[in-house]
Amino acid sequence: MASFGWKRKIGEKVSKATSQQFEAEAADDKDLADDDDANWVHATKRRKEVLLEDCVKKSKQLKDEGASLAENRRYREAIHKWDEALQLTPEDATLYEMKSQVLMSLHEMFPAVHAAEMAVQRNPRSWDAWQTLGRAQLGLGEIALAIRSFQVSLHIFPMNPEVWKEDLSWARKLHEQQKATKTEAVQALAKETELAQESIPDYDFESDEIVAVCAAIAEKEKALSAAKTVVIVSASGTVETVTENENCPTTPDETLFIRAR
């Protein structure tokens, strides 16, 4: 049976020269591993850059194809191309702005406003995106919002004569017409209300004339209740109207007549 003893530490009898050589080789291996890691990171980064460049290139190609289709009034096909481009470059504000213009040509105003808003969100400094947004809002009847969008567009590009002379001028004219129409409607409603109130006479139910009329009606009803009229039909078919008083009834013999009230 082997006796128990403490285990020797590894390298206890390894020479100093051998140890130094081992450490040097380990350092070389570490440098090679670091170089491999650096190369891998660089390669991955480069691969991403190449992929991004390919996406941008393909997106531009699709954008140009869509623009060509839109010029030929093939709007649905143009939108399809731009949607594909947006899958590659979702932050391209120009694609949304072009899409909004085409949607307005198709009279689809709600999607047009949404696309223009996306363009403005991605590039708030784009004056043409604000102009397109204003036109889409105008198509929805949102005149006040359209005026604001045109004003922002002019603030970015003050020397744009199209926005100043056409878009903003037209929007302000529509706004004035809208205000005038609302004013006329309010005035017409007020006039109708006034006429309705005038058509109802203002009776004074405590006046002497009304009291006298009520008294006369009461007297007439009292007289009618005091005298009763009876219609008598005889057995032979003769009809006779007899008025009887409460104190002095004048009813004929009931054996000869049939009484009907």
Side-chain angles (χ1 to χ4, degrees):
M1 182 176 178
S3 60
F4 176 80
W6 293 105
K7 291 182 179 180
R8 295 175 180 176
K9 295 181 180 179
I10 297 176
E12 184 178 350
K13 292 186 177 181
V14 179
S15 63
K16 185 177 181 180
T18 303
S19 177
Q20 291 176 349
Q21 183 180 358
F22 176 79
E23 293 175 356
E25 291 176 354
D28 293 338
D29 292 340
K30 183 179 180 181
D31 292 338
L32 291 174
D34 292 340
D35 292 340
D36 291 340
D37 291 340
N39 292 334
W40 180 82
V41 172
H42 179 73
T44 303
K45 184 178 179 181
R46 179 57 185 164
R47 192 178 300 111
K48 290 182 179 179
E49 291 175 353
V50 171
L51 181 61
L52 180 60
E53 291 174 358
D54 292 341
C55 289
V56 172
K57 184 177 179 180
K58 180 64 176 176
S59 176
K60 186 179 183 306
Q61 179 183 350
L62 291 169
K63 182 194 295 185
D64 295 339
E65 292 176 2
S68 178
L69 291 169
E71 289 176 357
N72 294 322
R73 298 181 181 275
R74 298 165 63 180
Y75 299 133
R76 294 295 180 187
E77 297 176 60
I79 292 175
H80 180 69
K81 292 290 184 181
W82 291 333
D83 285 338
E84 290 184 3
L86 285 170
Q87 295 295 324
L88 301 172
T89 54
E91 298 301 318
D92 191 343
T94 307
L95 288 169
Y96 284 106
E97 190 272 331
M98 296 168 68
K99 183 178 178 180
S100 178
Q101 290 190 51
V102 170
L103 288 169
M104 279 190 284
S105 299
L106 294 172
H107 303 288
E108 298 181 8
M109 294 304 173
F110 281 104
V113 170
H114 177 69
E117 287 176 345
M118 296 292 285
V120 168
Q121 290 176 8
R122 278 151 179 75
N123 187 7
R125 299 296 302 171
S126 174
W127 65 267
D128 49 351
W130 282 103
Q131 180 188 26
T132 301
L133 176 59
R135 290 178 175 179
Q137 291 168 335
L138 206 59
L140 277 182
E142 298 291 345
I143 301 176
L145 293 177
I147 291 175
R148 179 185 176 277
S149 297
F150 293 142
Q151 290 173 342
V152 175
S153 179
L154 279 174
H155 180 75
I156 298 171
F157 184 26
M159 303 305 295
N160 188 347
E162 184 180 21
V163 178
W164 180 263
K165 295 181 179 180
E166 297 180 13
D167 295 316
L168 186 57
S169 177
W170 174 245
R172 285 177 172 172
K173 184 177 180 180
L174 291 177
H175 191 248
E176 292 298 326
Q177 292 177 355
Q178 186 183 54
K179 289 172 59 178
T181 303
K182 288 183 178 180
T183 302
E184 292 177 359
V186 171
Q187 292 176 351
L189 181 61
K191 187 175 181 180
E192 291 178 0
T193 304
E194 183 179 355
L195 290 175
Q197 292 177 349
E198 290 178 356
S199 62
I200 302 175
D202 187 12
Y203 291 110
D204 184 5
F205 292 98
E206 296 182 357
S207 64
D208 296 338
E209 292 82 359
I210 298 297
V211 172
V213 170
C214 292
I217 293 174
E219 289 295 331
K220 185 176 181 181
E221 291 292 333
K222 183 177 180 181
L224 290 175
S225 63
K228 297 182 180 179
T229 302
V230 179
V231 178
I232 306 298
V233 181
S234 65
S236 62
T238 304
V239 179
E240 183 180 357
T241 302
V242 179
T243 302
E244 62 178 0
N245 295 325
E246 294 180 354
N247 299 327
C248 185
T250 57
T251 306
D253 188 357
E254 294 183 358
T255 60
L256 299 177
F257 296 92
I258 297 174
R259 175 177 295 186
R261 294 185 181 272

